[in-house]
Amino acid sequence: MEDFRIFYEKQRGKLFSYLLRISGDYYLAMDILQESFTRYFEKYADTTRNVSLLYTIARNDFLDHKRKAARHVEFDQSHEPRSGDITEALEVKQEYAQVISAMKKLREDEREILALVLSGDFNYKQIATVVDTTEGNVKVKVHRARTKLRKILQSGGSK
């Protein structure tokens, strides 16, 4: 049980960042994070500590949620900082909101692959396994998504 707690502590921030990038919704990302770790713990806690498997579960949870909630309105994405300099926190929040907004303008497959790369946990081969494609395809999509995201951000998010 202790090794699972260590695994959880090590992966939760990175997995949350990935989920926030693909969903664009703080609360949804938190819900999927909890559900993903619960499913992983119930089925695989005694056998392995596989990060790729955890991300695959989270991705599938997100896709399931997306299918079920296709007709629902998005929640308010605001989240207040708990402590620290309010001005700095507001600037960081605005920059992050700009990036999330720009990422929403990417195609879903581009957003997902870019979010996996940005999590920093995976190499291209592992990402290919998570999204069920080839390593070469992942490299091409990452390059195109980064280029497209850069153009969106440079244009002020109007593309």
Side-chain angles (χ1 to χ4, degrees), residues 10-145:
K10 186 175 180 182
Q11 298 304 322
R12 76 173 179 201
K14 295 174 186 178
L15 182 60
F16 174 74
S17 293
Y18 163 71
L19 290 167
L20 184 59
R21 285 183 190 108
I22 65 171
S23 71
D25 184 326
Y26 175 86
Y27 299 104
L28 176 60
M30 287 298 290
D31 288 345
I32 294 173
L33 174 81
Q34 293 171 2
E35 181 65 24
S36 299
F37 272 108
T38 301
R39 287 184 182 182
Y40 183 91
F41 181 74
E42 288 172 350
K43 293 185 180 184
Y44 306 104
D46 296 333
T47 58
T48 183
R49 298 292 177 260
N50 186 332
V51 178
S52 295
L53 178 59
L54 176 65
Y55 275 72
T56 300
I57 291 169
R59 176 181 181 259
N60 290 339
D61 282 348
F62 171 71
L63 294 175
D64 287 345
H65 171 80
K66 193 172 171 189
R67 278 189 287 271
K68 290 176 186 174
R71 293 178 281 143
H72 293 272
V73 178
E74 271 188 38
F75 292 108
D76 179 16
Q77 297 178 14
S78 64
H79 175 71
E80 296 301 319
R82 293 184 183 185
S83 63
D85 182 12
I86 299 296
T87 306
E88 182 181 335
L90 182 59
E91 289 173 4
V92 169
K93 184 177 177 181
Q94 288 172 339
E95 288 175 9
Y96 197 74
Q98 287 174 339
V99 172
I100 293 294
S101 176
M103 285 187 75
K104 285 183 176 181
K105 294 177 182 171
L106 297 174
R107 286 191 337 255
E108 185 176 334
D109 62 326
E110 293 171 328
R111 183 172 55 243
E112 180 179 20
I113 286 178
L114 194 55
L116 284 168
V117 168
L118 294 173
S119 75
D121 279 345
F122 300 110
N123 59 37
Y124 289 135
K125 186 175 183 178
Q126 292 169 318
I127 292 171
T129 301
V130 170
V131 297
D132 194 29
T133 191
T134 65
E135 185 177 350
N137 195 12
V138 169
K139 290 177 182 179
V140 169
K141 285 185 178 187
V142 166
H143 174 73
R144 289 179 182 165

